[in-house]
Amino acid sequence: MAYADQQMSSNRVVAIIIVALLHVFLGWALISGLAMSATEKIVEQLTTVDIEEEVEEEPPEEPDEPPPPEETSPPPPVAPPPPVNINPQPPQIETQQEITPAPVTPVQQTPAPVATQAPPPPPPPPPPPPSQARGATTKNEARWARRISENYPSRALREEVEGTVRVAVTVGANGRVSGCSVTGSSGSSVLDDAACKGMRRYARFNPALNDAGNPTTGSYNTSITYRLN
């Protein structure tokens, strides 16, 4: 009995190996394009022997369906190379004489005159400040005029001479008389000289001013009257 089991097991192994070899052969036969009829005969002979020996134990395994044959695409068409036209003679090269261009004289363009805008007129000068100029004026005239009249010359007293002397004096920047001249005589040279001496000694003035208001030389006209009491 053990011998029979061992023999059955070895037959099964042989059957499996044969089936595997058969699958390999079938795949190779399909690829290489063998005829299907020859392959079916071989398969029937081989599988018949193995299946009959194993019918008693278990049903045989159904062989796998062979894979469908692979469709091989035809090779792409090869276009023949284009014909090559071989020209045995080289092309003729035409030479052209080089023409030197005539020199071009540059045209000088006169620039258009640019319109210049006249500058704006200068602003008017500022108005001058108001002038502060004025003439000389007397200071305490009643006082010093009385003193000149009372200083009666002694000769005129002896001769009892009276009269009025008109004088023009020059007033310096200090307010004092710097010059005197008789513009209207009294008829007596003694009284005329006494009037100018009295003006230089006693007369006082506010000096004249220039435009800027600074003291300057001025002039003044007055009269001195001599009367006997």
Side-chain angles (χ1 to χ4, degrees):
M1 189 67 181
Y3 176 77
D5 294 337
Q6 186 176 1
Q7 188 174 2
M8 290 291 293
S9 178
S10 61
N11 292 335
R12 185 179 298 174
V13 171
V14 172
I16 293 172
I17 293 173
I18 292 173
V19 170
L21 292 175
L22 179 60
H23 289 171
V24 173
F25 177 75
L26 289 175
W28 175 81
L30 290 175
I31 295 173
S32 59
L34 295 177
M36 289 293 295
S37 58
T39 304
E40 292 177 357
K41 291 180 180 181
I42 297 173
V43 171
E44 289 178 359
Q45 292 178 2
L46 293 176
T47 53
T48 301
V49 175
D50 294 336
I51 293 171
E52 288 178 355
E53 292 180 356
E54 297 178 0
V55 167
E56 298 176 359
E57 296 293 332
E58 55 185 11
E61 296 181 357
E62 295 181 0
D64 296 335
E65 294 182 359
E70 297 182 356
E71 295 181 0
T72 57
S73 59
V78 179
V84 179
N85 187 10
I86 300 175
N87 190 3
Q89 296 181 357
Q92 296 181 358
I93 301 174
E94 296 181 359
T95 59
Q96 185 177 3
Q97 186 177 1
E98 183 179 358
I99 300 174
T100 304
V104 179
T105 304
V107 179
Q108 296 182 356
Q109 297 181 356
T110 304
V114 180
T116 58
Q117 185 177 4
S131 176
Q132 301 182 19
R134 63 175 176 84
T137 57
T138 59
K139 182 189 295 183
N140 299 326
E141 181 180 3
R143 180 180 178 182
W144 54 259
R146 185 176 65 253
R147 293 184 65 178
I148 295 173
S149 299
E150 291 177 354
N151 190 16
Y152 213 95
S154 58
R155 181 180 174 181
L157 286 175
R158 290 192 305 267
E159 296 178 357
E160 295 181 0
V161 177
E162 294 180 352
T164 299
V165 183
R166 295 185 64 81
V167 295
V169 296
T170 300
V171 181
N174 57 357
R176 303 288 297 270
V177 176
S178 60
C180 178
S181 61
V182 177
T183 58
S185 175
S186 63
S188 172
S189 60
V190 176
L191 294 178
D192 294 344
D193 293 340
C196 282
K197 288 179 181 178
M199 290 294 294
R200 290 188 181 96
R201 182 175 181 180
Y202 299 111
R204 297 292 183 268
F205 292 87
N206 295 314
L209 301 178
N210 57 16
D211 293 337
N214 299 321
T216 185
T217 302
S219 61
Y220 188 78
N221 296 329
T222 188
S223 59
I224 303 298
T225 302
Y226 291 93
R227 296 294 179 189
L228 296 173
N229 293 332

